[in-house]
Amino acid sequence: MNNSSKVFIADGIDKVYAMGDVKVNALRDISFSIQTGEYVAIMGPSGSGKSTLMHIMGCLDRPTSGSLYLRGKDIGSLSDGELAEIRNTEIGFVFQNFNLLPNMSILENVELPLLYAGMPARERRTRATWALEVVGLADRLRHKPNEISGGQKQRVSIARAMVNQPAILLADEPTGNLDTATGKEIMALFDELNAKGNTIILVTHERDVAEHATRIIYILDGRIEHFEFRIQDEEEHVPVWEVVEA
Amino acid sequence: MNLKEFIRIAFHSLSANKLRTALSLLGIIIGVASVITMVAIGTGAQEQVTGQIGAMGSNLITVSPGFSRGGGGRISQDIADVFTLEMAEAIKNASPNIKHVVPTSETSGLAVYRGNNVRVRISGVTPEYQEVINHYPLVGRYVREQDVANSEKVTVLGSEVASELFGPENPVGQSIRVVIGDRSYSLRVIGVMESKGQVMMANYDNRIYVPITMLIKRGLKTRYVDGYSIEAASRDVAKSVVQEVEVFMTRMLGDADRFRVMSQDTILETVSQATGTLTLLLGAIASIALLVGGIGIMNIMLVTVSERTREIGIRKAIGAKRKHILMQFLLEAVLLSGLGGILGLGTGWAGGYWLSRGLGWPFSVSPVAVVIAIGFSVCIGLFFGIYPASKAASLDPVVALRYE
Ligand SMILES: Nc1ncnc2c1ncn2[C@@H]1O[C@H](COP(=O)(O)OP(=O)(O)OP(=O)(O)O)[C@@H](O)[C@H]1O
Ligand SMILES: [Mg+2]
């Protein structure tokens, strides 16, 4: 197997939450791989373990057993500091509820990853302004998060995720708190970023949203239930999804 | 790491919750202010006392009775009946650096003039005494050699006594009655002293001065005096004069325990030691307030950390390392306590100034106290901030993000 073109390889990941005597098996024996530049959607009912998986891929958490390789590195063997560095430079994370810091201006929010990367102030400003221009918010730099709409907040969140130019963008229900029209705008942004070569993995409940991806991973009860691949049907110009059992 | 940036962030979050910041500042302000005030009062007292001793002439040496050792149920007490009038002349031979030796005796009594009466200290003196303690009559004259030789019934009044007995009237030439024990004497006023004020616990203005012979022979019916005041030729020789007098008197009395010889400098040392201890004690008590302020900071920081769990999660999610979070919260605590220290310094300064003015003491805040107070409060911030900060820094990003 040629691993160099794979961003992620999940190899039998289990995640168990122990709550007193009760053990919750949030993920069981998850295995898959994701290519550089792929556009993947993860679907599944509530409580199936989508966020848990995203957190592990986002290097926010480690698997209980099994391994997740990020470009060949087993993240389970990395220190907290190394994981923080990966979160800072290699992965951008977009949350359903935006997770912006309320006391800071939009510009400062977007600058934050660069601050932790140790970039000087002037350069930070330029880069953050650029990222906000990309998401179409160049005119709202001084506003606080509570002064803008939900769609705009998600744009800020995306700008923050991509400001350090990571190759991988993870989004956990990025349109979950937005209306359909706004959700479409956000998805257009992701499509654009994927077209530029970014690997994008997103979690969603909505079929429409998931169909922006080229592959859907369907999770049920912590297990991968099936994959769906988009096959371009040249004649009918509508995507056809081929189901492959796990 | 970009320290300036992190200080800005810390300021930012402190100003986001102004009331809480102000309240936790208050704890430190009160702590530092009380340390500064207390130490200022202590050092003020010290300067007050030592300044007075200096004013009395630092070449003054006093000889006073020794104590008999307490023990075996006996109370330690001054040995009496050792010093005689005549010994004063002899002591003069102890050293060539002695200018004067004057015998001194004191008692208390009541001075009466017409309807007025006042409690007074009665000092038996010789003419040289005025020179020795630097205290001269303002009107009239002092006790003379002849008055001493004849045990004359004359007196020089302290300024307070004069004004209380006579008001605006000139006392010189009048007679007052002085009651010592159960006897009463009629004394002719020959002078009034200049005002000297309170010097080292002793008030020189509510005294009257009489010839020493008059006091001990007529008043106290004794041959003995309380002790001697010796004026050394200069401050520099005072120390060696003390030793010479000690040697001389040991030979004369055959017992080194029957007397004590002290120069102003040794008294000065003793007093500064005592007031130094007082200052330290006051400072220590005030430090408790500072400590309580520090605990207040820790409390606030702990609340802050748990309130901002989500913020910490977000910061970690986008790449903040342990050290970044640690630094952020530690800086907040240190800024809080440092700011409190500076404000407390101002408050304490004002409070100390106001108090010393009320007490009529010199006001001084030693730079050492300032440095210690500020440094200590910053250390308090560090000490009490480190636990909350490391608690924040070690939060698991996922747990923090899922935190509602
Ligand atoms: N910290 C935790 N402690 C205990 N159990 C947890 C914890 N986090 C998640 N779980 C459990 O793991 C399971 C998967 O949770 P997860 O959040 O990954 O689901 P999800 O697929 O993202 O659901 P949703 O669509 O509602 O967001 C759930 O049963 C949840 O209760
Ligand atoms: Mg979820």
Side-chain angles (χ1 to χ4, degrees):
Chain A
M1 188 162 55
N2 177 15
N3 286 353
S4 60
S5 63
K6 306 256 194 284
V7 187
F8 286 112
I9 298 173
D11 182 14
I13 292 177
D14 286 325
K15 182 73 191 180
V16 182
Y17 291 110
M19 310 224 307
D21 290 339
V22 188
K23 284 193 174 152
V24 180
N25 265 293
L27 294 176
R28 305 167 206 242
D29 196 24
I30 298 278
S31 297
F32 60 81
S33 64
I34 292 173
Q35 307 271 346
T36 303
E38 247 198 285
Y39 198 162
V40 178
I42 297 172
M43 291 194 75
S46 188
S48 55
K50 306 180 296 293
S51 292
T52 306
L53 180 58
M54 286 296 267
H55 288 151
I56 291 173
M57 285 199 283
C59 293
L60 289 159
D61 207 354
R62 296 186 179 90
T64 309
S65 63
S67 302
L68 180 81
Y69 299 93
L70 171 69
R71 289 191 229 284
K73 275 176 291 184
D74 182 357
I75 66 145
S77 68
L78 299 179
S79 71
D80 287 350
E82 287 167 322
L83 290 182
E85 204 147 331
I86 290 174
R87 292 198 293 271
N88 189 245
T89 56
E90 296 189 40
I91 296 173
F93 210 110
V94 178
F95 300 91
Q96 175 175 359
N97 49 7
F98 326 124
N99 276 343
L100 302 175
L101 295 183
N103 293 324
M104 293 185 167
S105 74
I106 284 161
L107 184 64
E108 285 170 323
N109 264 285
V110 177
E111 275 185 32
L112 215 49
L114 304 174
L115 173 70
Y116 291 128
M119 189 182 281
R122 189 184 291 265
E123 219 178 319
R124 279 202 316 261
R125 188 119 311 181
T126 321
R127 279 282 282 279
T129 312
W130 160 80
L132 281 162
E133 269 165 19
V134 171
V135 300
L137 281 176
D139 53 337
R140 313 301 293 267
L141 304 181
R142 304 278 155 209
H143 289 242
K144 293 275 172 71
N146 61 1
E147 295 162 355
I148 56 175
S149 73
Q152 287 169 330
K153 280 185 207 170
Q154 198 56 299
R155 286 166 187 274
V156 175
S157 167
I158 292 169
R160 184 180 63 185
M162 53 167 269
V163 71
N164 227 347
Q165 295 179 305
I168 307 160
L169 276 177
L170 303 179
D172 194 350
E173 302 195 41
T175 60
N177 280 351
L178 305 175
D179 61 40
T180 320
T182 317
K184 281 204 172 109
E185 286 170 29
I186 294 298
M187 288 317 295
L189 215 52
F190 280 113
D191 293 352
E192 211 175 293
L193 288 167
N194 178 247
K196 284 180 187 161
N198 292 297
T199 308
I200 292 180
I201 301 159
L202 56 86
V203 166
T204 183
H205 276 113
E206 296 156 78
R207 186 77 205 176
D208 298 3
V209 171
E211 289 192 352
H212 282 256
T214 50
R215 177 159 58 129
I216 299 171
I217 300 175
Y218 198 89
I219 296 184
L220 190 63
D221 252 348
R223 288 178 200 282
I224 296 181
E225 216 253 342
H226 65 257
F227 298 97
E228 292 181 37
F229 291 89
R230 184 164 70 185
I231 298 160
Q232 209 56 48
D233 187 316
E234 297 298 336
E235 281 158 32
E236 299 203 12
H237 290 287
V238 285
V240 176
W241 292 89
E242 184 183 289
V243 176
V244 177
E245 296 303 320
Chain B
M1 226 170 6
N2 198 336
L3 187 67
K4 217 175 80 191
E5 206 61 41
F6 279 83
I7 290 177
R8 210 177 56 83
I9 292 177
F11 257 118
H12 214 83
S13 22
L14 286 181
S15 58
N17 208 330
K18 292 195 178 63
L19 180 64
R20 177 186 298 176
T21 303
L23 285 176
S24 40
L25 272 178
L26 204 58
I28 292 291
I29 291 173
I30 291 171
V32 172
S34 44
V35 169
I36 294 286
T37 309
M38 290 300 174
V39 172
I41 287 174
T43 45
Q46 189 160 2
E47 276 174 28
Q48 161 86 346
V49 171
T50 52
Q52 283 171 351
I53 294 173
M56 266 180 74
S58 47
N59 46 0
L60 182 65
I61 294 165
T62 52
V63 179
S64 49
F67 337 91
S68 63
R69 288 273 160 76
R74 282 189 317 131
I75 296 167
S76 160
Q77 68 183 110
D78 283 2
I79 295 170
D81 303 346
V82 181
F83 306 129
T84 62
L85 275 176
E86 294 71 34
M87 274 164 69
E89 276 309 305
I91 293 170
K92 217 168 168 181
N93 298 323
S95 163
N97 290 325
I98 294 177
K99 255 169 99 179
H100 297 290
V101 179
V102 296
T104 53
S105 252
E106 249 186 59
T107 186
S108 55
L110 193 69
V112 186
Y113 177 72
R114 298 210 177 127
N116 300 335
N117 66 76
V118 58
R119 286 237 128 243
V120 290
R121 295 292 296 169
I122 305 162
S123 290
V125 297
T126 58
E128 296 88 359
Y129 191 68
Q130 50 185 338
E131 253 175 78
V132 171
I133 67 159
N134 243 325
H135 192 199
Y136 299 92
L138 189 68
V139 290
R141 62 171 180 86
Y142 204 65
V143 173
R144 285 185 183 147
E145 213 54 71
Q146 229 170 313
D147 302 325
V148 176
N150 302 333
S151 312
E152 287 292 355
K153 293 200 273 184
V154 294
T155 181
V156 186
L157 304 181
S159 58
E160 238 175 80
V161 180
S163 68
E164 281 190 43
L165 290 184
F166 292 91
E169 208 182 314
N170 181 10
V172 178
Q174 307 291 337
S175 284
I176 60 168
R177 291 206 74 75
V178 172
V179 183
I180 302 171
D182 51 6
R183 283 190 208 82
S184 156
Y185 305 85
S186 173
L187 303 182
R188 190 162 50 82
V189 178
I190 55 171
V192 176
M193 300 300 286
E194 60 192 6
S195 170
K196 197 171 167 81
Q198 186 90 18
V199 180
M200 281 194 70
M201 328 288 157
N203 183 348
Y204 283 83
D205 295 338
N206 68 3
R207 287 167 181 255
I208 66 172
Y209 299 89
V210 297
I212 184 139
T213 44
M214 141 70 211
L215 179 66
I216 63 170
K217 288 180 182 157
R218 290 184 198 263
L220 304 171
K221 309 271 184 247
T222 170
R223 290 175 47 227
Y224 300 101
V225 297
D226 290 349
Y228 308 98
S229 291
I230 300 172
E231 188 185 356
S234 71
R235 181 174 189 165
D236 300 334
V237 299
K239 212 164 194 144
S240 66
V241 170
V242 168
Q243 280 167 0
E244 287 163 328
V245 170
E246 270 173 352
V247 170
F248 182 84
M249 288 188 71
T250 309
R251 205 179 312 134
M252 192 165 68
L253 298 172
D255 185 354
D257 287 339
R258 292 169 68 102
F259 64 91
R260 281 173 296 163
V261 185
M262 272 192 290
S263 70
Q264 286 295 307
D265 279 343
T266 47
I267 296 173
L268 203 67
E269 264 167 44
T270 316
V271 171
S272 358
Q273 233 167 43
T275 51
T277 312
L278 179 79
T279 307
L280 214 64
L281 191 74
L282 288 175
I285 292 168
S287 305
I288 294 173
L290 194 52
L291 199 71
V292 172
I295 294 170
I297 284 201
M298 175 137 131
N299 189 17
I300 286 299
M301 290 309 294
L302 282 173
V303 171
T304 302
V305 167
S306 74
E307 249 187 18
R308 284 157 63 188
T309 301
R310 198 166 176 85
E311 173 194 327
I312 295 162
I314 296 169
R315 287 179 183 275
K316 284 201 151 185
I318 60 175
K321 291 184 178 166
R322 218 191 117 77
K323 64 174 181 191
H324 293 127
I325 304 292
L326 190 76
M327 177 105 135
Q328 178 186 342
F329 282 90
L330 211 52
L331 269 175
E332 261 182 47
V334 169
L335 271 182
L336 206 54
S337 63
L339 204 64
I342 291 167
L343 292 176
L345 179 65
T347 316
W349 201 301
Y353 178 74
W354 181 74
L355 262 172
S356 351
R357 270 194 49 168
L359 292 166
W361 285 354
F363 171 69
S364 84
V365 174
S366 70
V368 180
V370 171
V371 171
I372 288 179
I374 300 281
F376 194 48
S377 56
V378 167
C379 288
I380 286 241
L382 265 179
F383 181 78
F384 287 103
I386 197 104
Y387 174 67
S390 69
K391 211 176 140 169
S394 55
L395 275 176
D396 193 343
V398 176
V399 175
L401 276 175
R402 285 199 189 249
Y403 184 87
E404 292 299 323

